[in-house]
Amino acid sequence: MTAILNQMNDQHYSVYIETFQTSSELVDFLMETFIMFKDLIGKNVYPSDWMAMSMVQNRVFLRAINKFAETMNQKFLENMNFEVQLWNNYFHLAVAFITQDSLQLENFSHAKYNKIQNKYGDMRCLIGFAIRDMWYKLGQNKICFIPGMVGPILEMTLIPEVELRKATIPIFFDMMLCEYQRTGEFKKFENEIILKLDHEVEGGRGDEHYMQLFESILTECAKQHPGICSLVESFVSLVRGLLERLLDYRAVMSDESKDNRMSCTVNLLNFYKNINREEMYIRYLYKLRDLHLDCENYTEAAYTLLLHTWLLKWSDEQCAPQVMSTEFQCSQTYRHLKENLYEKIIEYFDKGKMWEEAISLCKELAEQYEKEVFDYELLSQNLIQQAKFYENIMKILRPKPDYFAVGYYGQGFPTFLRNKVFIYRGKEYERREDFQAQLMSQFPSAERMNTTAAPGEDVRSSPGQHIQCFTVQPVLEEQPRFKNKAVPDQIINFYKSNNVQRFHYSRPVRKGSVDPENEFASMWIERTSFVTAYKLPGILRWFEVVSISQCTISPLENAIETMSTTNEKILMMINQYQSDENLPINPLSMLLNGIVDPAVMGGFAKYEKAFFTEEYIRHHPEDAEKLNRLKDLIAWQIPFLGAGIKIHQRRVSDNLRPFHDRMEECFMHLKVKVEKQYGVRELPEFDDKRVGRPRSMLKSYRQLSFISMCSINSDCSTPKKLASESFDLEAVLPKQGKAESEEIAPQNNPHPEVKMRRSKKRTKRSSVVFADEKTAADISISDMKCLSRKYEFMSDTNLSEHVVAPQKTSVLKQMSPVSRSMPTIAGLTLSVSTVAPDETIASHRLSQPVFPTTSDGDKKTFKRKKVNQLFKTMRISRVLEDGKQSVEQHFKTSTDL
């Protein structure tokens, strides 16, 4: 056939065309010929290295196609005779011809390229120009090929031949103009070119030069049509953004670094989300999920699939095609698809030890099983799974990951990394050195920066690559649902390193003169805060930093933060040793000894020498409140240390007993000194032997989050209280003036007394009973210790309510209400109140006089009256109970009769 067509001249073609009697016969011949040519081009019968035969065939086919195109223009272009399918076959054949491998001359060697050019020329330009001419001849019939021909024309314009691109790219504007004139917009064209562009660029076509030509040619064409100019400019900007991301994605697909592939994938799926292309968005979601699974990033894989579920609703409607994925084709309804996705996500969260997130999904599924589909069997399985996750949270150790700030500076990096800073989430037990080594292996030619300061413009604009890496600390976000609640450390610790978006990096700087004997006096802290685009963890193990700010912390503020952190660490460790009897004693020994033994670290003596001098107070009068806060923190450290030493004493081995004795001796000296200078702080008595479910000692006296605690601007000072003053909690008797306190208690108690309940059952189920609401005659100290520790102390940070409702007074009777310096956890509070000695409130239960001042004789008289009234009340109650029992017995007898 090739030989016959090669022998035919123009007259032969004309005579042969005239042999067809009817137009339908001619149309059938042309369509069958085009299909045959297309098959021969796509399925070449010659081996790929038979270049001469391939080029001869292409030259013959090109001449035949052009001759048949002339026939189409003559006989099948007019509206009455227009054959849509014939023209469609022609365009597809021409595009298949121009894109065949044997004509892509840029892929050949230089010698082969020159030989083909000299003998046959670049046939792509010839057929490309023919396609352009044929398109413009269509006239009003162009709309018939929109959007069907968008993909083939795009494939042709992506051929890396400049003249061909310049000749064919204007066809796109003609398509847009045609659809705009018909419908007032060109959405069909836009959707089709975005869809096809994704496939073509991923397949290896397209480059930055094409992106520039596409933008310049279409913008120039739009200037001649002011009515459509703004729409075209928006479209061009859209395509440019897509091409940039697609080219970055294609560039890293063959890269060994899966991190770069993930970054480009996220850039693409975010782009498709912004332009509301659900099908493409979901396509890249699952590509990202697969990359995470390859790296065993189960948490990130779960968050990725979770984005798909946000597009679905709990409905029994049939799924739309654009929200389906190949993995869940069996899911027919939205409900079925969402349920399957949730089960897969829960599985990933479980593998990633993110049980809090898994529980939230389980609860949503449980609600559907219980209230919508009424599948109690699935509900029971779901609840069992939830119970297992709750148990895991409390019993399984989850190491806290480190976070690293990484800056990529220099023009040598890809555009998605260039001169940007990211926060990376490290893996379990991953050190910064290991992370940095792995990072540098991805960019072997990069230079590692040894400073943590932001680089200058010279580094940013340099042609090389510079990487900066250092560790940052996550900032715990306040959890409103934990406010005023007793929350175990296992729960709080999760939020210290998860669901975080703000990070800090602090580095010491020196200002002014430096005291060689006390560096703390001149140690300023430069703190840099980073805010990421999204919370970590998320669909990536890293996110770009969108905001960077800096502040400077004075030496005094630094001392306050250091003391707060130390107190927090002591409390956390005490709680750990309360919860686990098998923990080794060494960490607790090192922590306590490092604080109480001056020979080890010096404790807070350096702070005293630096800030508690008359000279400092005279030169910094504005720091008076902060100094009080620091003193308050020092004072509170003593009872914390005492609690830790108490645990250490019970668990220390015999061979470490001398060490403990030495440490306890140091502590006693320290305690005497601190209590004399800063007052006494006391904690409730506790026992580290657990009975029943574990309880955290922290719940009784934590009031704010650790981050809030570090805030310098909050009220923080506790007035100095000498050791001679009685500072007591409800469960702790005053050390001095015991008898006097007992006698005066009824007078100064501003709250109604709480009557003791006679029934044991009612006693167990009673609400909070406060020690300061009971006199010595009402309840003994042994009875107080029998009260549930859960109710010994009341948590309430809203001190203003105590004025309105004083009967709800707190357990810390004599602590100042402005003391907020105790180490804390989010939402766990220590409530304090100040009771004025002359404050009187009438009792609602016992009508008795309240004397503001009494003599010794009046005290004794009052005490006798109090005891007599107590016995009288008990006698009346016993009579009433006896009467009640007799009535009940009588009623029972009557019933039996």
Side-chain angles (χ1 to χ4, degrees):
M1 185 195 67
T2 301
I4 293 174
L5 292 176
N6 191 40
Q7 295 296 321
M8 294 174 64
N9 55 28
D10 294 346
Q11 185 179 2
H12 293 145
Y13 278 103
S14 300
V15 172
Y16 182 73
I17 293 298
E18 295 300 328
T19 59
F20 293 96
Q21 300 295 323
T22 63
S23 297
S24 59
E25 292 179 355
L26 178 58
V27 169
D28 291 342
F29 164 74
L30 292 176
M31 291 181 66
E32 290 174 2
T33 303
F34 291 162
I35 293 173
M36 179 186 62
F37 282 1
K38 189 171 182 294
D39 288 341
L40 288 173
I41 291 171
K43 304 173 184 177
N44 200 342
V45 296
Y46 306 119
S48 58
D49 57 342
W50 286 25
M51 187 54 59
M53 288 302 302
S54 295
M55 298 307 295
V56 168
Q57 176 181 280
N58 288 332
R59 183 180 62 185
V60 173
F61 282 5
L62 176 60
R63 184 166 180 269
I65 291 171
N66 289 335
K67 287 298 179 182
F68 294 149
E70 294 176 4
T71 303
M72 291 171 57
N73 288 328
Q74 295 171 3
K75 297 181 178 293
F76 305 109
L77 183 59
E78 299 299 328
N79 291 337
M80 297 299 295
N81 301 321
F82 186 73
E83 291 288 342
V84 176
Q85 190 59 46
L86 176 62
W87 281 82
N88 190 63
N89 285 5
Y90 165 80
F91 283 125
H92 280 86
L93 168 62
V95 172
F97 181 89
I98 199 173
T99 57
Q100 62 177 302
D101 293 339
S102 59
L103 291 182
Q104 309 313 310
L105 304 183
E106 65 276 358
N107 296 332
F108 300 151
S109 64
H110 185 68
K112 191 173 185 179
Y113 174 87
N114 291 332
K115 185 176 182 180
I116 294 175
Q117 277 280 36
N118 295 333
K119 189 171 184 177
Y120 302 102
D122 192 346
M123 287 182 274
R124 296 177 300 179
C125 292
L126 299 176
I127 191 66
F129 296 155
I131 292 173
R132 178 197 59 185
D133 296 339
M134 292 289 282
W135 171 262
Y136 286 119
K137 290 178 180 179
L138 287 173
Q140 297 180 352
N141 296 317
K142 294 175 184 176
I143 195 66
C144 301
F145 302 95
I146 302 173
M149 279 303 299
V150 172
I153 297 298
L154 175 64
E155 190 176 356
M156 176 179 64
T157 60
L158 288 170
I159 294 173
E161 171 58 41
V162 177
E163 295 302 322
L164 179 61
R165 286 177 172 178
K166 290 181 178 180
T168 54
I169 287 178
I171 296 177
F172 289 141
F173 180 78
D174 196 55
M175 288 181 168
M176 287 188 286
L177 187 62
C178 181
E179 185 181 354
Y180 178 80
Q181 292 173 347
R182 179 65 64 92
T183 63
E185 59 182 9
F186 45 85
K187 285 295 182 183
K188 290 183 179 179
F189 170 82
E190 180 180 306
N191 293 337
E192 188 69 13
I193 200 168
I194 288 175
L195 178 64
K196 299 299 182 183
L197 194 61
D198 185 279
H199 291 281
E200 293 297 332
V201 176
E202 187 178 355
R205 300 180 179 89
D207 49 44
E208 290 190 7
H209 181 259
Y210 176 82
M211 180 173 61
Q212 296 169 0
L213 266 182
F214 185 92
E215 182 178 14
S216 60
I217 291 175
L218 291 186
T219 303
E220 190 65 29
C221 293
K223 291 180 180 179
Q224 304 174 11
H225 299 78
I228 196 177
C229 184
S230 60
L231 293 176
V232 174
E233 288 177 354
S234 299
F235 167 75
V236 169
S237 176
L238 178 71
V239 173
R240 181 180 180 86
L242 177 59
L243 272 173
E244 288 176 349
R245 291 165 175 81
L246 287 173
L247 291 174
D248 287 340
Y249 177 78
R250 188 182 69 188
V252 300
M253 283 307 296
S254 58
D255 195 341
E256 294 182 0
S257 172
K258 291 186 178 180
D259 289 356
N260 291 341
R261 294 162 64 182
M262 291 178 188
S263 295
C264 292
T265 305
V266 169
N267 289 340
L268 272 171
L269 66 87
N270 285 335
F271 178 84
Y272 285 124
K273 178 184 178 181
N274 294 334
I275 64 174
N276 197 25
R277 298 299 192 279
E278 285 188 352
E279 184 178 358
M280 303 303 298
Y281 174 69
I282 294 173
R283 178 169 174 250
Y284 280 95
L285 275 181
Y286 282 86
K287 287 187 176 183
L288 179 61
R289 190 279 309 264
D290 294 340
L291 288 173
H292 281 310
L293 292 182
D294 292 341
C295 300
E296 297 183 353
N297 297 338
Y298 296 109
T299 297
E300 288 71 23
Y303 280 116
T304 302
L305 279 192
L306 197 60
L307 295 179
H308 188 188
T309 65
W310 293 354
L311 304 176
L312 308 175
K313 53 188 176 181
W314 292 111
S315 170
D316 293 322
E317 299 176 8
Q318 292 292 320
C319 283
Q322 64 267 22
V323 300
M324 294 292 292
S325 66
T326 55
E327 184 175 341
F328 298 98
Q329 288 291 345
C330 59
S331 302
Q332 299 297 322
T333 64
Y334 283 103
R335 183 186 304 279
H336 193 198
L337 176 57
K338 194 166 185 175
E339 183 180 340
N340 289 337
L341 281 170
Y342 268 30
E343 291 174 354
K344 182 63 70 174
I345 294 169
I346 290 171
E347 177 187 342
Y348 292 156
F349 274 137
D350 186 20
K351 291 181 178 179
K353 298 181 181 179
M354 297 286 289
W355 297 303
E356 287 81 355
E357 300 293 343
I359 287 172
S360 65
L361 298 184
C362 286
K363 289 180 177 179
E364 190 173 348
L365 278 176
E367 185 177 2
Q368 293 296 317
Y369 295 151
E370 182 180 6
K371 299 179 180 180
E372 297 295 334
V373 297
F374 302 101
D375 192 330
Y376 284 7
E377 185 176 354
L378 287 177
L379 176 62
S380 66
Q381 297 174 7
N382 180 282
L383 295 177
I384 292 173
Q385 191 177 34
Q386 284 191 54
K388 183 62 177 176
F389 292 155
Y390 280 117
E391 184 180 7
N392 291 345
I393 291 173
M394 301 305 294
K395 293 185 177 181
I396 296 182
L397 175 65
R398 290 184 285 184
K400 293 181 182 179
D402 287 335
Y403 286 90
F404 311 104
V406 179
Y408 299 92
Y409 300 105
Q411 300 299 314
F413 287 109
T415 55
F416 60 89
L417 296 177
R418 187 179 304 157
N419 292 329
K420 294 180 180 180
V421 180
F422 298 84
I423 300 295
Y424 282 73
R425 174 184 169 90
K427 296 185 177 181
E428 292 184 357
Y429 304 109
E430 185 174 24
R431 301 183 307 160
R432 185 188 64 84
E433 293 78 7
D434 299 333
F435 172 81
Q436 187 168 338
Q438 188 269 339
L439 192 68
M440 297 299 295
S441 66
Q442 300 177 20
F443 303 96
S445 60
E447 179 182 347
R448 185 178 66 186
M449 300 177 62
N450 295 323
T451 64
T452 58
E457 189 61 31
D458 54 336
V459 176
R460 295 173 181 269
S461 57
S462 64
Q465 296 178 339
H466 304 269
I467 294 180
Q468 185 182 64
C469 179
F470 51 90
T471 305
V472 293
Q473 301 301 322
V475 178
L476 171 67
E477 294 191 3
E478 185 176 355
Q479 303 293 325
R481 63 194 181 100
F482 294 158
K483 188 176 182 180
N484 302 333
K485 303 289 192 342
V487 185
D489 293 338
Q490 294 92 326
I491 300 175
I492 289 293
N493 288 339
F494 172 80
Y495 295 97
K496 288 184 177 180
S497 56
N498 295 282
N499 294 332
V500 288
Q501 196 169 2
R502 295 174 59 243
F503 304 85
H504 283 167
Y505 174 74
S506 302
R507 67 187 187 98
V509 293
R510 300 293 180 182
K511 291 185 179 181
S513 60
V514 178
D515 185 359
E517 297 182 358
N518 193 347
E519 60 180 5
F520 295 101
S522 59
M523 182 182 291
W524 292 71
I525 298 296
E526 183 183 86
R527 174 161 296 167
T528 305
S529 298
F530 303 90
V531 179
T532 54
Y534 307 97
K535 290 184 178 182
L536 284 165
I539 60 175
L540 288 174
R541 296 191 70 89
W542 63 92
F543 284 123
E544 183 181 354
V545 172
V546 296
S547 173
I548 301 178
S549 59
Q550 279 190 348
C551 64
T552 304
I553 299 175
S554 68
L556 177 57
E557 293 169 340
N558 180 39
I560 292 174
E561 287 194 7
T562 303
M563 284 297 302
S564 299
T565 304
T566 304
N567 289 359
E568 173 77 13
K569 189 174 182 180
I570 297 172
L571 285 174
M572 293 291 290
M573 189 162 289
I574 290 173
N575 189 55
Q576 291 175 7
Y577 280 87
Q578 280 186 286
S579 303
D580 191 346
E581 298 284 347
N582 299 320
L583 285 178
I585 199 65
N586 293 344
L588 182 62
S589 303
M590 294 174 61
L591 175 65
L592 297 177
N593 191 57
I595 298 173
V596 303
D597 192 347
V600 180
M601 296 179 63
F604 43 78
K606 298 289 187 180
Y607 297 148
E608 295 177 325
K609 294 179 181 178
F611 308 116
F612 295 165
T613 63
E614 295 182 0
E615 181 181 0
Y616 184 91
I617 296 174
R618 185 172 61 255
H619 288 86
H620 302 85
E622 71 281 358
D623 288 345
E625 184 178 344
K626 296 175 183 177
L627 289 172
N628 288 335
R629 177 184 175 88
L630 182 57
K631 293 177 182 178
D632 199 48
L633 288 167
I634 294 174
W636 270 112
Q637 193 174 86
I638 296 303
F640 299 157
L641 290 171
I645 289 177
K646 183 178 179 182
I647 294 178
H648 191 272
Q649 180 183 11
R650 296 178 179 177
R651 301 195 186 185
V652 69
S653 59
D654 293 337
N655 58 341
L656 289 178
R657 181 62 60 180
F659 167 80
H660 173 83
D661 294 340
R662 161 67 179 167
M663 183 170 63
E664 190 168 4
E665 180 183 356
C666 292
F667 170 71
M668 294 308 297
H669 290 298
L670 183 66
K671 180 180 180 181
V672 172
K673 172 180 175 293
V674 172
E675 289 184 350
K676 181 179 179 180
Q677 293 183 353
Y678 310 120
V680 178
R681 306 291 188 274
E682 294 183 358
L683 299 179
E685 295 183 2
F686 67 93
D687 188 356
D688 64 323
K689 296 180 180 180
R690 296 298 186 116
V691 179
R693 65 175 185 170
R695 298 185 299 272
S696 171
M697 71 165 288
L698 307 183
K699 67 183 181 181
S700 297
Y701 35 80
R702 286 187 171 175
Q703 69 190 37
L704 299 172
S705 70
F706 172 71
I707 301 307
S708 298
M709 174 197 66
C710 295
S711 175
I712 304 303
N713 297 325
S714 61
D715 295 335
C716 55
S717 60
T718 299
K720 178 178 178 181
K721 188 177 75 66
L722 299 178
S724 59
E725 298 175 1
S726 62
F727 178 85
D728 59 298
L729 305 181
E730 292 175 345
V732 182
L733 288 178
K735 293 183 178 180
Q736 299 181 9
K738 177 178 179 182
E740 183 179 350
S741 299
E742 290 178 355
E743 292 176 357
I744 303 179
Q747 301 173 356
N748 291 342
N749 182 11
H751 309 293
E753 293 188 351
V754 180
K755 292 183 178 180
M756 292 298 294
R757 301 173 186 260
R758 303 306 197 271
S759 172
K760 293 183 178 180
K761 180 177 181 181
R762 296 178 64 186
T763 301
K764 290 182 178 180
R765 300 181 58 184
S766 63
S767 58
V768 181
V769 180
F770 297 94
D772 58 350
E773 294 177 349
K774 297 180 177 294
T775 62
D778 291 324
I779 184 170
S780 65
I781 298 301
S782 60
D783 292 331
M784 281 296 301
K785 293 183 178 180
C786 293
L787 291 175
S788 171
R789 287 178 59 197
K790 181 177 180 180
Y791 298 126
E792 287 183 3
F793 304 98
M794 176 182 178
S795 295
D796 191 350
T797 55
N798 190 356
L799 300 180
S800 61
E801 294 182 0
H802 296 172
V803 179
V804 180
Q807 65 272 18
K808 296 181 180 180
T809 206
S810 165
V811 300
L812 297 181
K813 300 179 182 178
Q814 299 179 4
M815 182 183 291
S816 169
V818 296
S819 178
R820 300 191 184 121
S821 57
M822 298 177 60
T824 56
I825 266 184
L828 306 187
T829 65
L830 171 63
S831 179
V832 295
S833 66
T834 304
V835 181
D838 58 346
E839 185 178 357
T840 59
I841 298 179
S843 172
H844 297 285
R845 298 191 179 184
L846 297 176
S847 57
Q848 60 182 22
V850 179
F851 303 98
T853 58
T854 58
S855 62
D856 294 340
D858 292 336
K859 293 179 182 178
K860 296 179 180 179
T861 304
F862 179 85
K863 187 172 183 180
R864 285 198 300 270
K865 288 182 179 180
K866 179 67 180 179
V867 173
N868 293 337
Q869 186 174 7
L870 174 65
F871 284 114
K872 181 179 178 181
T873 304
M874 295 173 60
R875 190 164 55 249
I876 294 173
S877 300
R878 190 176 298 111
V879 171
L880 291 176
E881 288 181 357
D882 294 340
K884 182 178 179 180
Q885 292 176 0
S886 62
V887 171
E888 291 176 348
Q889 182 66 28
H890 174 72
F891 178 76
K892 181 177 180 181
T893 306
S894 302
T895 305
D896 295 338
L897 292 175

